[in-house]
């Protein structure tokens, strides 16, 4: 019996399916007996770890239940194949038993966790495709995203964030209350920080159990050449420090002692008060503009709806059997001024849809709408809406005015339209210049914030 077990072990190490078949002919129960002891040298475990796909398939064809057999560390063959990056073997094991994707080893990790830690991109894709819910499994309050950052596996992190696409999942916290941005900043993973700030919905000012934001974490660590770039990225994303009143004097005594004993003073960049004031005033200005846009858009939408359902000249009260355009409820304007009615209907609809779009965007609560650029886009949409409603009014008055007075009215309207076009052009140009000035000043503001005095023990240097 011992000799047979040794031959089976050697066949699994070599990945020799012929030797396996010969042993099974001699003893059909040999695989079942070997797995009774839960040893670490079970044939399917060994072959999966070494990537012997033919050997693995021969076992799975005859004994598919062996894919669920754990070793002494509670690891399944899928754990070993995932950690080693054998994507073909992983696919075969998952096909035999898809639920193995959710199985946990003695440390509480499933195969997807091990693949993410090792950066096995192809394996991660295979496992997530088979069981997407495996990505949400938590290990000691750490998500798989925390593991990706801890082990600096950026490509796997990008794939998982894109595939799961969940705001709460991206902003999950570990036992210390740290988000993945806290961990990336603490380890100064520049590329990971760029990805999180630019391509995810990470909360840049989330605080951990100590009340530290990512900017606080950066200020507390040793300084190096990456700090300036990280500060620029965080500042641009709207990050701030929770502890802004100085530095070592405001932190707990044990942390102060650690900083002094190590002779590595945490240099905390202090944002100038005038910069904070400008930022607050800018936010107040944006809020007022958004509120104004909401009120005006609501009024214009109401006007457009009323004009659409009750057009100029009203509707026919009775119908005509000979003329299909003269039916009860149809607009009189269609019969008297068909061309002008089309202009009226198009302009009124444009104004109505434009204002509804503004209202929908403002109540959606999307974070990017708090930026000046998107507020400028909303202003352009409002310009389109007001211009459309002006043309609607012009057509309405034209239709309701008798012929003799219409010629005089046309002359007056031509002058008014020229003034209106000039005014609208001036407004759009003015807002465009103001927007460009705002963007041109941003690098200077960030530079002033970054180069502000550094405070150590309440002394500026």
């Amino acid at each position: 019996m011992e000799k047979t077990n040794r031959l089976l072990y050697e066949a699994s190490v070599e990945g020799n399916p012929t030797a396996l078949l010969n042993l099974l002919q001699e003893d059909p129960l040999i695989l079942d007996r070997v797995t009774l002891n839960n040893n670490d040298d079970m044939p399917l475990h060994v072959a999966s770890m070494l990537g012997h796909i033919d050997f693995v398939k021969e076992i799975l064809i005859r004994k598919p239940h062996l894919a669920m057999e754990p070793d002494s560390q509670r690891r399944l063959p899928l754990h070993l194949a995932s950690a080693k990056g054998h994507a073909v073997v992983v696919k075969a094991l998952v096909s035999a038993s898809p639920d193995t994707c959710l199985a946990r080893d003695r440390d509480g990790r499933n195969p997807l966790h091990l693949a993410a830690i090792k950066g096995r991109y192809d394996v991660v894709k295979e496992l997530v495709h088979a069981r997407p819910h495996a990505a949400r499994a938590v290990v000691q309050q750490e998500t798989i995203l925390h593991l990706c950052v801890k082990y600096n596996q950026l490509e796997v992190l990008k794939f998982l964030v894109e595939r799961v696409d969940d705001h709460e999942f991206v902003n999950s916290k570990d036992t210390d209350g740290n988000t993945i941005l806290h961990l990336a900043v603490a380890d100064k993973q520049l590329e990971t920080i760029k990805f999180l700030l630019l391509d995810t919905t990470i909360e840049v000012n989330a605080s951990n159990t100590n009340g530290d934001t990512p900017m606080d974490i950066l200020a507390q660590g040793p300084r190096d050449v990456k700090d300036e770039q990280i500060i620029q990225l965080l500042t641009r994303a709207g990050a701030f420090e929770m502890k802004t009143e100085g530095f070592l004097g405001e932190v707990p005594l044990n942390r102060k002692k650690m900083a002094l004993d190590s002779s590595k003073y945490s240099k905390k960049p202090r944002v100038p008060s005038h910069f904070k004031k400008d930022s607050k005033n800018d936010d107040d200005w944006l809020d007022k503009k958004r509120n104004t846009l909401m009120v005006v858009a609501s009024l214009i939408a109401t006007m457009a709806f009323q004009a659409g359902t009750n057009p100029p000249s009203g509707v026919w009260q009775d119908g005509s059997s000979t003329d299909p355009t003269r039916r009860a409820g149809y607009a009189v304007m269609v019969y008297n001024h068909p061309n002008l009615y089309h202009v009226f209907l198009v302009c009124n609809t444009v104004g109505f849809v434009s204002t509804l779009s503004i209202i929908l965007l403002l109540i959606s609560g999307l974070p990017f709408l708090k930026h000046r650029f998107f507020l400028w886009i909303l202003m352009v949409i409002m310009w389109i809406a007001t211009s459309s409603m002006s043309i609607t009014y012009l057509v309405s008055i034209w239709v309701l005015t008798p012929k003799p007075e219409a010629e005089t009215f046309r002359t007056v309207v031509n002058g008014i339209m020229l003034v209106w076009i000039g005014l609208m052009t001036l407004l759009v140009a003015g807002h465009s210049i103001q927007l460009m000035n705002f963007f041109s000043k941003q690098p200077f503001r960030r530079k002033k914030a970054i180069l502000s005095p550094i405070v150590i023990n309440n002394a500026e240097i």
Side-chain angles (χ1 to χ4, degrees):
M1 184 65 66
E2 183 177 349
K3 179 181 178 181
T4 304
N5 291 344
R6 179 174 56 81
L7 292 174
L8 180 59
Y9 174 75
E10 292 176 354
S12 62
V13 171
E14 296 172 0
N16 189 342
T18 303
L20 172 64
L21 295 177
N22 293 334
L23 291 171
L24 286 173
Q25 287 180 355
E26 297 177 6
D27 185 359
L29 298 179
I30 186 173
L31 290 174
D32 297 283
R33 264 198 303 272
V34 170
T35 58
L36 289 177
N37 298 324
N38 281 1
N39 292 327
D40 296 337
D41 58 354
M42 288 183 286
L44 188 55
H45 285 72
V46 174
S48 299
M49 180 174 60
L50 298 176
H52 297 319
I53 181 60
D54 293 333
F55 194 92
V56 170
K57 286 183 176 179
E58 290 295 340
I59 295 180
L60 293 177
I61 290 173
R62 290 159 179 79
K63 305 286 184 179
H65 66 278
L66 294 182
M68 293 294 295
E69 289 292 335
D71 62 9
S72 61
Q73 305 296 319
R74 297 186 58 79
R75 297 172 301 190
L76 302 184
L78 185 59
H79 284 91
L80 302 176
S82 300
K84 289 295 183 178
H86 302 309
V88 179
V89 176
V90 167
K91 187 174 183 179
L93 292 169
V94 170
S95 298
S97 182
D99 288 337
T100 53
C101 297
L102 306 175
R104 297 180 181 245
D105 61 12
R106 192 172 65 176
D107 297 324
R109 294 171 176 172
N110 62 32
L112 184 57
H113 292 140
L114 299 180
I117 289 172
K118 295 292 184 178
R120 313 300 189 188
Y121 185 82
D122 293 336
V123 173
V124 169
K125 290 178 62 176
E126 191 68 41
L127 294 173
V128 172
H129 176 73
R131 283 291 184 271
H133 190 65
R136 296 182 178 273
V138 178
V139 183
Q140 298 177 357
Q141 292 192 356
E142 284 186 335
T143 67
I144 192 172
L145 300 184
H146 287 89
L147 295 176
C148 288
V149 176
K150 285 179 66 175
Y151 292 91
N152 200 10
Q153 301 296 347
L154 179 56
E155 293 304 316
V156 175
L157 176 67
K158 289 180 178 179
F159 170 77
L160 291 171
V161 170
E162 179 181 356
R163 184 61 184 266
V164 177
D165 192 21
D166 185 347
H167 175 76
E168 293 184 3
F169 182 60
V170 172
N171 289 281
S172 299
K173 297 183 177 182
D174 61 12
T175 52
D176 297 319
N178 291 316
T179 65
I180 52 178
L181 183 59
H182 284 90
L183 300 183
V185 170
D187 199 31
K188 302 192 178 180
Q189 298 177 19
L190 187 59
E191 294 301 320
T192 302
I193 295 171
K194 287 181 181 178
F195 167 70
L196 293 176
L197 294 178
L198 299 178
D199 298 319
T200 71
T201 58
I202 193 72
E203 295 178 4
V204 296
N205 293 312
S207 57
N208 60 16
T209 53
N210 291 328
D212 295 325
T213 65
M215 188 73 88
D216 293 319
I217 295 294
L218 180 65
Q220 294 163 13
R223 309 288 288 180
D224 64 23
V225 294
K226 296 181 181 179
D227 285 10
E228 183 175 352
Q229 298 181 62
I230 297 175
I231 291 173
Q232 290 178 352
L233 289 170
L234 291 173
T235 305
R236 191 178 304 160
F240 57 80
E241 298 176 59
M242 195 66 70
K243 301 166 184 175
T244 56
E245 296 301 327
F247 168 69
L248 293 175
E250 294 296 323
V251 300
L253 291 177
N254 59 342
R255 191 183 302 172
K256 182 191 298 186
K257 185 176 184 302
M258 290 172 60
L260 293 174
D261 289 346
S262 62
S263 299
K264 294 180 179 179
Y265 298 106
S266 302
K267 301 175 182 178
K268 188 177 204 178
R270 185 171 57 189
V271 179
S273 59
H274 65 82
F275 179 76
K276 297 177 184 177
K277 184 177 180 180
D278 290 346
S279 178
K280 184 177 185 301
N281 291 338
D282 189 64
D283 291 340
D284 292 340
W285 180 85
L286 289 174
D287 288 336
K288 291 179 181 178
K289 288 294 182 183
R290 285 193 291 268
N291 293 336
T292 303
L293 282 174
M294 175 65 80
V295 174
V296 176
S298 301
L299 290 174
I300 294 179
T302 303
M303 292 167 51
F305 179 83
Q306 184 64 27
T309 56
N310 188 20
S313 300
V315 297
W316 296 106
Q317 300 302 316
D318 52 2
S320 172
S321 58
T322 59
D323 192 344
T325 62
R326 293 186 56 181
R327 293 183 180 179
Y330 280 19
V332 176
M333 188 177 176
V334 177
Y335 180 81
N336 294 331
H337 305 278
N339 294 330
L340 289 178
Y341 180 77
H342 293 153
V343 176
F344 167 86
L345 193 60
V346 169
C347 293
N348 190 68
T349 303
V350 170
F352 183 69
V353 174
S354 299
T355 50
L356 287 185
S357 301
I358 294 173
I359 295 172
L360 181 62
L361 288 172
L362 288 175
I363 66 176
S364 65
L366 296 175
F368 62 79
L369 292 175
K370 297 180 181 180
H371 200 279
R372 274 178 176 262
F373 175 74
F374 294 99
L375 183 63
W376 180 82
I377 292 178
L378 294 179
M379 292 290 294
V380 171
I381 299 175
M382 179 59 72
W383 175 80
I384 295 173
T386 53
S387 299
S388 300
M389 295 308 299
S390 299
I391 298 175
T392 301
Y393 169 80
L394 174 64
V395 173
S396 301
I397 297 300
W398 195 287
V399 169
L400 298 174
T401 305
K403 286 289 183 180
E405 290 80 7
E407 297 302 324
T408 304
F409 177 72
R410 179 180 301 175
T411 304
V412 174
V413 166
N414 288 337
I416 293 175
M417 289 302 296
L418 290 176
V419 175
W420 174 262
I421 293 173
L423 177 61
M424 289 297 100
T425 304
L426 181 64
L427 287 176
V428 173
H431 279 286
S432 300
I433 294 172
Q434 188 179 19
L435 186 69
M436 289 186 290
N437 289 337
F438 173 79
F439 281 117
S440 64
K441 291 179 181 178
Q442 288 306 301
F444 176 72
R445 289 185 177 182
R446 289 193 294 269
K447 184 176 180 181
K448 289 179 66 177
I450 293 168
L451 298 180
S452 59
I454 296 173
V455 178
I456 297 182
N457 286 337
N458 296 326
E460 291 186 353
I461 61 172

